[in-house]
Coordinates of all heavy atoms in Angstrom, one line a residue:
E1 N -30.1 1.5 10.0 CA -29.4 1.9 11.2 C -28.0 1.2 11.2 O -27.9 0.0 10.8 CB -30.1 1.6 12.5 CG -31.3 2.4 12.7 CD -31.9 2.2 14.1 OE1 -31.2 1.5 14.9 OE2 -33.0 2.6 14.3
R2 N -27.1 1.9 11.7 CA -25.7 1.3 11.8 C -25.4 0.9 13.2 O -26.0 1.5 14.1 CB -24.7 2.3 11.3 CG -24.8 2.7 9.9 CD -23.8 3.8 9.6 NE -24.1 4.3 8.2 CZ -23.3 4.1 7.2 NH1 -22.2 3.4 7.4 NH2 -23.5 4.6 6.1
G3 N -24.6 -0.1 13.4 CA -24.2 -0.6 14.7 C -23.2 0.4 15.3 O -22.6 1.3 14.7
K4 N -23.0 0.2 16.6 CA -22.0 1.1 17.3 C -20.6 0.6 17.0 O -20.4 -0.6 16.8 CB -22.3 1.0 18.8 CG -23.5 1.7 19.2 CD -23.6 1.7 20.7 CE -24.9 2.5 21.1 NZ -25.0 2.6 22.6
A5 N -19.7 1.5 17.0 CA -18.3 1.1 16.8 C -17.7 0.5 18.1 O -18.1 0.7 19.2 CB -17.4 2.4 16.5
K6 N -16.8 -0.5 17.9 CA -16.2 -1.1 19.0 C -15.3 -0.1 19.7 O -14.7 0.8 19.1 CB -15.3 -2.3 18.6 CG -16.0 -3.4 18.0 CD -15.1 -4.5 17.6 CE -15.8 -5.6 16.9 NZ -14.8 -6.6 16.4
S7 N -15.2 -0.2 21.0 CA -14.4 0.8 21.8 C -13.4 0.0 22.6 O -13.7 -1.0 23.2 CB -15.3 1.6 22.7 OG -14.6 2.5 23.5
R8 N -12.1 0.5 22.6 CA -11.0 -0.1 23.3 C -10.3 1.0 24.1 O -10.2 2.1 23.6 CB -10.1 -0.9 22.4 CG -10.7 -1.9 21.5 CD -11.0 -3.2 22.4 NE -11.4 -4.3 21.5 CZ -12.7 -4.6 21.4 NH1 -13.6 -3.9 22.0 NH2 -13.0 -5.6 20.6
V9 N -9.6 0.6 25.2 CA -8.7 1.5 25.9 C -7.3 1.0 25.7 O -7.0 -0.2 25.9 CB -9.1 1.5 27.4 CG1 -8.1 2.4 28.2 CG2 -10.5 2.1 27.6
G10 N -6.4 2.0 25.4 CA -5.0 1.6 25.2 C -4.1 2.8 25.6 O -4.5 3.8 26.1
V11 N -2.8 2.6 25.3 CA -1.8 3.5 25.7 C -1.1 4.0 24.4 O -0.8 3.2 23.5 CB -0.7 2.9 26.6 CG1 0.4 3.9 26.9 CG2 -1.4 2.4 27.9
V12 N -1.0 5.3 24.3 CA -0.3 5.9 23.1 C 1.2 5.6 23.2 O 1.8 5.8 24.2 CB -0.5 7.5 23.1 CG1 0.3 8.1 21.9 CG2 -2.0 7.8 23.0
V13 N 1.7 5.0 22.1 CA 3.1 4.6 22.1 C 3.9 5.5 21.1 O 5.1 5.6 21.2 CB 3.3 3.1 21.7 CG1 2.8 2.2 22.8 CG2 2.7 2.8 20.4
S14 N 3.2 6.2 20.2 CA 3.9 7.1 19.2 C 3.0 8.1 18.7 O 1.8 7.9 18.5 CB 4.5 6.2 18.1 OG 5.0 7.1 17.1
N15 N 3.5 9.4 18.6 CA 2.8 10.4 18.0 C 3.6 11.2 17.0 O 3.5 12.4 16.8 CB 2.3 11.4 19.1 CG 3.4 12.1 19.8 OD1 4.5 11.8 19.7 ND2 3.0 13.2 20.5
K16 N 4.5 10.5 16.3 CA 5.4 11.1 15.4 C 4.8 11.4 14.0 O 5.4 12.1 13.2 CB 6.6 10.2 15.1 CG 7.4 10.0 16.4 CD 8.6 9.1 16.2 CE 9.4 9.0 17.5 NZ 10.6 8.1 17.3
M17 N 3.6 10.9 13.7 CA 2.9 11.3 12.5 C 2.0 12.5 12.7 O 1.6 12.8 13.9 CB 2.1 10.1 12.0 CG 2.9 8.9 11.7 SD 2.0 7.4 11.3 CE 1.7 6.8 13.0
Q18 N 1.6 13.2 11.7 CA 0.8 14.3 11.8 C -0.7 13.8 11.9 O -1.2 13.1 11.1 CB 0.9 15.2 10.5 CG 2.2 15.8 10.4 CD 2.3 16.7 9.1 OE1 1.3 16.8 8.4 NE2 3.5 17.2 8.8
K19 N -1.3 14.3 13.0 CA -2.7 14.0 13.3 C -3.0 12.5 13.4 O -4.2 12.1 13.2 CB -3.7 14.6 12.2 CG -3.6 16.1 12.2 CD -4.6 16.7 11.3 CE -4.5 18.2 11.3 NZ -5.6 18.8 10.5
T20 N -2.0 11.7 13.7 CA -2.2 10.3 13.9 C -1.3 9.8 15.0 O -0.2 10.3 15.2 CB -1.7 9.5 12.6 OG1 -2.5 10.0 11.5 CG2 -2.0 8.0 12.7
V21 N -1.9 8.9 15.8 CA -1.1 8.3 16.9 C -1.2 6.8 16.8 O -2.1 6.3 16.3 CB -1.6 8.8 18.3 CG1 -1.4 10.2 18.5 CG2 -3.1 8.4 18.5
V22 N -0.2 6.1 17.4 CA -0.2 4.7 17.5 C -0.6 4.3 18.9 O 0.0 4.7 19.9 CB 1.1 4.0 17.1 CG1 1.1 2.5 17.2 CG2 1.6 4.5 15.7
V23 N -1.7 3.5 19.0 CA -2.2 3.1 20.3 C -2.0 1.6 20.5 O -2.4 0.8 19.6 CB -3.7 3.5 20.4 CG1 -4.2 3.1 21.8 CG2 -3.9 5.0 20.2
R24 N -1.4 1.2 21.6 CA -1.3 -0.2 22.0 C -2.4 -0.6 22.9 O -2.6 -0.1 24.0 CB 0.1 -0.4 22.6 CG 0.4 -1.8 23.0 CD 1.7 -1.9 23.8 NE 1.9 -3.1 24.5 CZ 2.6 -4.1 24.0 NH1 3.2 -4.0 22.8 NH2 2.7 -5.2 24.7
V25 N -3.2 -1.6 22.5 CA -4.3 -2.1 23.2 C -3.9 -3.6 23.7 O -3.7 -4.4 22.9 CB -5.6 -2.2 22.4 CG1 -6.7 -2.8 23.2 CG2 -5.9 -0.8 22.0
E26 N -3.9 -3.8 25.0 CA -3.6 -5.1 25.5 C -4.8 -5.8 26.0 O -5.8 -5.2 26.5 CB -2.6 -5.0 26.7 CG -1.2 -4.7 26.3 CD -0.2 -4.8 27.5 OE1 -0.7 -5.1 28.6 OE2 1.0 -4.7 27.2
R27 N -4.8 -7.1 25.9 CA -5.9 -7.9 26.4 C -5.3 -9.2 27.0 O -4.1 -9.6 26.7 CB -6.9 -8.3 25.3 CG -6.3 -9.1 24.2 CD -7.2 -9.2 23.0 NE -6.6 -9.7 21.8 CZ -6.6 -11.0 21.5 NH1 -7.4 -11.8 22.2 NH2 -6.0 -11.5 20.4
R28 N -5.9 -9.7 28.0 CA -5.5 -10.9 28.7 C -6.3 -12.1 28.4 O -7.6 -12.0 28.5 CB -5.5 -10.6 30.2 CG -4.5 -9.5 30.6 CD -4.7 -9.1 32.0 NE -5.0 -10.2 32.9 CZ -4.6 -10.3 34.2 NH1 -3.9 -9.4 34.7 NH2 -5.0 -11.3 34.9
I29 N -5.7 -13.1 27.9 CA -6.5 -14.3 27.5 C -5.8 -15.5 28.1 O -4.6 -15.5 28.5 CB -6.6 -14.5 26.0 CG1 -5.2 -14.6 25.4 CG2 -7.3 -13.4 25.4 CD1 -5.2 -15.0 23.9
A30 N -6.5 -16.6 28.2 CA -6.0 -17.9 28.7 C -5.4 -18.6 27.5 O -5.9 -18.7 26.5 CB -7.1 -18.7 29.4
D31 N -4.2 -19.2 27.8 CA -3.5 -20.0 26.8 C -4.4 -21.2 26.5 O -5.0 -21.8 27.4 CB -2.2 -20.5 27.3 CG -1.4 -21.4 26.3 OD1 -0.9 -20.8 25.3 OD2 -1.5 -22.6 26.4
R32 N -4.6 -21.6 25.2 CA -5.5 -22.7 24.8 C -5.1 -24.0 25.4 O -6.0 -24.8 25.9 CB -5.5 -22.8 23.3 CG -6.2 -21.8 22.6 CD -6.3 -22.1 21.1 NE -6.3 -20.9 20.3 CZ -6.0 -20.8 19.1 NH1 -5.6 -21.9 18.4 NH2 -6.1 -19.7 18.4
K33 N -3.8 -24.3 25.4 CA -3.4 -25.6 25.9 C -3.2 -25.7 27.4 O -3.7 -26.6 28.1 CB -2.1 -26.0 25.2 CG -1.7 -27.4 25.5 CD -0.5 -27.9 24.7 CE -0.1 -29.3 25.0 NZ 1.1 -29.7 24.2
Y34 N -2.5 -24.7 28.0 CA -2.2 -24.8 29.4 C -3.0 -23.9 30.3 O -3.0 -24.1 31.5 CB -0.7 -24.4 29.6 CG 0.2 -25.3 28.8 CD1 0.9 -24.9 27.7 CD2 0.4 -26.6 29.3 CE1 1.7 -25.8 27.0 CE2 1.2 -27.5 28.6 CZ 1.9 -27.1 27.4 OH 2.7 -28.0 26.7
G35 N -3.7 -23.0 29.8 CA -4.6 -22.2 30.6 C -4.0 -21.0 31.3 O -4.6 -20.3 32.0
K36 N -2.7 -20.8 31.1 CA -2.0 -19.7 31.7 C -2.5 -18.4 31.1 O -2.7 -18.3 29.9 CB -0.5 -19.8 31.5 CG 0.3 -18.6 32.1 CD 1.8 -18.8 31.9 CE 2.4 -17.5 32.5 NZ 3.8 -17.7 32.7
I37 N -2.7 -17.4 32.0 CA -3.1 -16.1 31.5 C -1.9 -15.4 30.8 O -0.9 -15.2 31.5 CB -3.7 -15.2 32.6 CG1 -4.8 -15.9 33.3 CG2 -4.1 -13.8 32.1 CD1 -6.0 -16.2 32.4
V38 N -2.0 -15.0 29.6 CA -1.0 -14.3 28.9 C -1.5 -13.0 28.3 O -2.7 -12.9 28.1 CB -0.4 -15.2 27.7 CG1 0.3 -16.4 28.3 CG2 -1.5 -15.6 26.8
R39 N -0.6 -12.0 28.1 CA -1.0 -10.8 27.5 C -0.8 -10.8 26.0 O 0.3 -11.1 25.5 CB -0.2 -9.6 28.2 CG -0.6 -9.4 29.6 CD 0.1 -8.2 30.2 NE 1.5 -8.3 30.1 CZ 2.4 -7.4 30.5 NH1 1.9 -6.3 31.0 NH2 3.7 -7.6 30.4
R40 N -1.8 -10.3 25.3 CA -1.7 -10.1 23.9 C -1.9 -8.6 23.6 O -2.7 -8.0 24.2 CB -2.7 -10.9 23.1 CG -2.6 -12.4 23.3 CD -1.5 -13.0 22.4 NE -1.4 -14.4 22.5 CZ -0.3 -15.1 22.9 NH1 0.7 -14.5 23.3 NH2 -0.4 -16.4 23.0
A41 N -1.2 -8.1 22.6 CA -1.4 -6.7 22.3 C -1.5 -6.5 20.8 O -1.0 -7.2 20.0 CB -0.1 -5.9 22.8
E42 N -2.3 -5.4 20.5 CA -2.5 -5.0 19.1 C -2.2 -3.5 19.0 O -2.5 -2.8 20.0 CB -3.9 -5.3 18.6 CG -4.3 -6.7 18.5 CD -5.8 -6.9 18.2 OE1 -6.6 -6.2 18.7 OE2 -6.0 -7.8 17.3
R43 N -1.7 -3.1 17.9 CA -1.4 -1.7 17.7 C -2.3 -1.1 16.7 O -2.5 -1.7 15.6 CB 0.0 -1.5 17.3 CG 1.0 -1.8 18.4 CD 2.4 -2.0 17.9 NE 2.9 -0.9 17.0 CZ 3.9 -0.1 17.3 NH1 4.5 -0.2 18.5 NH2 4.2 0.9 16.5
Y44 N -3.0 0.0 17.0 CA -3.9 0.7 16.1 C -3.4 2.1 15.7 O -2.8 2.7 16.6 CB -5.3 0.8 16.7 CG -6.0 -0.5 16.9 CD1 -6.0 -1.1 18.2 CD2 -6.7 -1.1 15.9 CE1 -6.6 -2.3 18.4 CE2 -7.4 -2.3 16.1 CZ -7.3 -2.9 17.4 OH -8.0 -4.1 17.6
K45 N -3.5 2.5 14.5 CA -3.2 3.9 14.1 C -4.5 4.6 14.2 O -5.5 4.3 13.5 CB -2.6 3.9 12.7 CG -1.2 3.4 12.6 CD -0.7 3.5 11.3 CE 0.8 3.1 11.2 NZ 0.9 1.6 11.3
A46 N -4.6 5.6 15.1 CA -5.8 6.3 15.4 C -5.7 7.8 15.0 O -4.6 8.4 15.2 CB -6.2 6.2 16.9
H47 N -6.8 8.4 14.5 CA -6.8 9.8 14.1 C -6.9 10.7 15.4 O -7.7 10.5 16.2 CB -8.0 10.0 13.2 CG -8.0 11.4 12.7 ND1 -7.1 11.9 11.8 CD2 -8.9 12.4 12.9 CE1 -7.4 13.1 11.5 NE2 -8.5 13.5 12.2
D48 N -6.0 11.6 15.4 CA -6.0 12.6 16.5 C -5.9 14.0 15.9 O -4.9 14.5 15.6 CB -4.7 12.3 17.4 CG -4.7 13.3 18.6 OD1 -5.7 13.9 18.9 OD2 -3.6 13.4 19.2
E49 N -7.1 14.6 15.7 CA -7.2 15.8 15.0 C -6.4 17.0 15.5 O -5.7 17.7 14.8 CB -8.7 16.3 14.9 CG -8.9 17.5 14.1 CD -8.6 17.4 12.6 OE1 -8.8 16.3 12.1 OE2 -8.2 18.4 12.0
N50 N -6.3 17.1 16.9 CA -5.6 18.2 17.5 C -4.2 17.9 17.9 O -3.6 18.7 18.6 CB -6.4 18.7 18.7 CG -7.8 19.1 18.3 OD1 -8.0 19.7 17.2 ND2 -8.8 18.8 19.1
N51 N -3.7 16.7 17.6 CA -2.4 16.3 18.1 C -2.2 16.5 19.6 O -1.2 16.9 20.1 CB -1.3 17.1 17.4 CG -1.1 16.7 15.9 OD1 -1.3 15.5 15.6 ND2 -0.8 17.6 15.1
A52 N -3.3 16.1 20.3 CA -3.3 16.3 21.8 C -2.7 15.2 22.6 O -2.2 15.4 23.7 CB -4.7 16.6 22.3
A53 N -2.7 14.0 22.0 CA -2.2 12.8 22.7 C -0.7 12.7 22.7 O -0.1 12.9 21.7 CB -2.9 11.5 22.2
K54 N -0.1 12.4 23.8 CA 1.3 12.3 24.0 C 1.6 10.8 24.3 O 0.8 10.1 24.9 CB 1.9 13.2 25.0 CG 1.5 14.6 24.8 CD 2.3 15.2 23.7 CE 2.0 16.7 23.6 NZ 1.4 17.0 22.3
P55 N 2.9 10.3 24.0 CA 3.2 9.0 24.4 C 3.0 8.7 25.9 O 3.4 9.6 26.7 CB 4.7 8.8 24.0 CG 4.8 9.8 22.9 CD 3.9 11.0 23.3
G56 N 2.4 7.6 26.3 CA 2.1 7.3 27.7 C 0.7 7.6 28.1 O 0.3 7.2 29.1
D57 N 0.0 8.5 27.3 CA -1.4 8.8 27.6 C -2.3 7.6 27.4 O -2.1 6.8 26.5 CB -1.9 9.9 26.8 CG -1.3 11.3 27.1 OD1 -0.7 11.4 28.2 OD2 -1.5 12.2 26.4
K58 N -3.3 7.5 28.3 CA -4.2 6.4 28.2 C -5.4 7.0 27.5 O -6.0 8.0 27.9 CB -4.7 6.0 29.6 CG -5.2 4.6 29.7 CD -5.4 4.2 31.2 CE -5.8 2.8 31.3 NZ -6.0 2.4 32.7
V59 N -5.8 6.4 26.4 CA -6.9 6.9 25.5 C -7.9 5.8 25.2 O -7.6 4.6 25.3 CB -6.4 7.5 24.2 CG1 -5.5 8.7 24.5 CG2 -5.6 6.5 23.4
R60 N -9.1 6.2 24.9 CA -10.1 5.3 24.4 C -10.3 5.5 22.9 O -10.4 6.7 22.4 CB -11.5 5.5 25.0 CG -12.5 4.5 24.5 CD -13.7 4.4 25.3 NE -14.3 5.7 25.4 CZ -15.2 6.1 26.3 NH1 -15.6 5.2 27.2 NH2 -15.7 7.3 26.3
I61 N -10.3 4.4 22.1 CA -10.4 4.6 20.7 C -11.7 3.8 20.2 O -12.1 2.9 20.9 CB -9.2 4.0 19.9 CG1 -8.9 2.5 20.3 CG2 -7.9 4.8 20.2 CD1 -7.8 1.9 19.5
D62 N -12.3 4.4 19.2 CA -13.5 3.7 18.6 C -13.0 3.1 17.3 O -12.4 3.8 16.4 CB -14.5 4.8 18.3 CG -15.1 5.4 19.6 OD1 -15.1 4.6 20.6 OD2 -15.5 6.5 19.6
I63 N -13.2 1.8 17.1 CA -12.8 1.1 16.0 C -14.0 0.9 15.0 O -14.9 0.2 15.3 CB -12.2 -0.3 16.4 CG1 -11.1 -0.1 17.4 CG2 -11.8 -1.1 15.2 CD1 -10.6 -1.4 18.0
G64 N -14.0 1.6 13.9 CA -15.0 1.5 12.9 C -14.6 0.5 11.8 O -13.5 -0.1 11.8
K65 N -15.4 0.4 10.8 CA -15.1 -0.5 9.7 C -14.0 0.0 8.9 O -13.1 -0.8 8.4 CB -16.4 -0.7 8.8 CG -16.2 -1.6 7.6 CD -17.4 -1.7 6.8 CE -17.2 -2.6 5.7 NZ -18.5 -2.8 4.9
L66 N -13.9 1.3 8.7 CA -12.9 1.9 7.8 C -11.8 2.7 8.5 O -10.8 3.0 8.0 CB -13.6 2.8 6.7 CG -14.6 2.1 5.8 CD1 -15.3 3.1 4.9 CD2 -13.9 1.0 5.0
E67 N -12.1 3.2 9.7 CA -11.2 4.1 10.4 C -11.2 3.9 11.9 O -12.2 3.4 12.4 CB -11.4 5.5 10.0 CG -12.8 6.0 10.4 CD -13.0 7.4 9.9 OE1 -12.2 8.0 9.1 OE2 -14.1 8.0 10.2
V68 N -10.1 4.3 12.5 CA -10.0 4.2 14.0 C -9.9 5.7 14.5 O -9.0 6.4 14.0 CB -8.8 3.4 14.4 CG1 -8.7 3.4 15.9 CG2 -8.9 2.0 13.9
M69 N -10.7 6.1 15.4 CA -10.7 7.5 15.9 C -10.5 7.4 17.4 O -10.9 6.6 18.1 CB -12.0 8.1 15.7 CG -12.4 8.2 14.2 SD -11.5 9.3 13.2 CE -12.1 10.8 13.8
I70 N -9.8 8.5 17.9 CA -9.7 8.7 19.4 C -11.1 9.2 19.8 O -11.6 10.1 19.2 CB -8.6 9.6 19.8 CG1 -7.2 9.0 19.6 CG2 -8.8 10.1 21.2 CD1 -6.1 9.8 20.1
A71 N -11.6 8.6 20.9 CA -13.0 9.0 21.3 C -13.0 10.5 21.7 O -12.0 11.0 22.3 CB -13.4 8.1 22.5
A72 N -14.0 11.2 21.4 CA -14.1 12.6 21.5 C -14.3 13.0 23.0 O -14.0 14.1 23.4 CB -15.2 13.2 20.7
D73 N -14.8 12.1 23.8 CA -15.2 12.5 25.2 C -13.9 12.5 26.1 O -13.3 11.5 26.2 CB -16.2 11.6 25.8 CG -15.8 10.2 25.8 OD1 -14.9 9.8 25.1 OD2 -16.3 9.4 26.7
R74 N -13.6 13.7 26.6 CA -12.5 13.8 27.5 C -13.0 13.7 29.0 O -12.2 13.8 29.9 CB -11.7 15.1 27.3 CG -11.0 15.1 26.0 CD -10.3 16.4 25.8 NE -9.7 16.5 24.5 CZ -8.5 16.0 24.2 NH1 -7.8 15.5 25.2 NH2 -8.0 16.1 23.0
A75 N -14.3 13.6 29.1 CA -14.9 13.6 30.5 C -14.5 12.3 31.2 O -14.5 12.2 32.4 CB -16.4 13.7 30.4
A76 N -14.1 11.2 30.5 CA -13.8 10.0 31.1 C -12.4 10.1 31.9 O -12.1 9.2 32.6 CB -13.7 8.9 30.1
G77 N -11.7 11.2 31.7 CA -10.5 11.4 32.4 C -9.3 10.6 31.8 O -8.3 10.5 32.4
L78 N -9.5 10.1 30.6 CA -8.4 9.3 30.0 C -7.3 10.1 29.4 O -6.2 9.8 29.5 CB -9.0 8.3 28.9 CG -10.1 7.4 29.5 CD1 -10.7 6.6 28.3 CD2 -9.5 6.4 30.5
I79 N -7.7 11.3 28.8 CA -6.8 12.2 28.3 C -7.0 13.5 29.0 O -8.1 14.0 29.0 CB -6.9 12.5 26.8 CG1 -6.7 11.2 26.0 CG2 -5.9 13.5 26.3 CD1 -6.9 11.4 24.5
P80 N -6.0 14.1 29.7 CA -6.2 15.4 30.3 C -6.5 16.4 29.2 O -5.9 16.4 28.1 CB -4.9 15.7 31.0 CG -3.9 14.7 30.4 CD -4.6 13.6 29.8
A81 N -7.4 17.4 29.6 CA -7.7 18.4 28.6 C -6.5 19.3 28.3 O -5.8 19.7 29.2 CB -8.9 19.3 29.2
A82 N -6.3 19.6 27.0 CA -5.1 20.3 26.7 C -5.4 21.8 26.7 O -6.4 22.3 26.6 CB -4.6 19.9 25.3

């Protein structure tokens, strides 16, 4: 059996590639030395088969070992149905 893919929620920042979008995922962590809460961000290139995601859309992505996919369920209301 295989484990489940990690899931993250982020914002689409670019859709200029074919069937691929860039998603920015932010997380909040405490600074190691001072303890202040700071924002850290990572950018993922995610597969978008239908080119449905537009910049500014909030999407959920599944992070696998080899690829990152936009989650197929639109029921969560993260991406409006096209």
Side-chain angles (χ1 to χ4, degrees):
E1 288 188 12
R2 296 175 187 249
K4 291 186 177 181
K6 292 179 185 177
S7 182
R8 301 283 186 262
V9 174
V11 177
V12 176
V13 293
S14 172
N15 66 346
K16 294 181 180 180
M17 296 172 276
Q18 294 178 5
K19 298 187 179 184
T20 305
V21 294
V22 179
V23 179
R24 178 184 167 99
V25 176
E26 284 192 354
R27 58 193 172 98
R28 294 168 39 145
I29 61 169
D31 181 79
R32 285 187 210 158
K33 185 171 182 180
Y34 298 108
K36 178 179 176 165
I37 303 297
V38 292
R39 292 187 298 180
R40 298 279 185 239
E42 294 175 317
R43 289 163 52 113
Y44 294 98
K45 290 183 176 73
H47 182 70
D48 180 18
E49 182 64 34
N50 301 323
N51 289 324
K54 304 289 184 241
D57 286 350
K58 202 172 189 182
V59 296
R60 182 168 55 197
I61 57 174
D62 294 329
I63 304 169
K65 181 177 179 181
L66 300 176
E67 59 187 6
V68 177
M69 304 286 288
I70 288 185
D73 61 338
R74 294 179 182 273
L78 299 176
I79 299 180

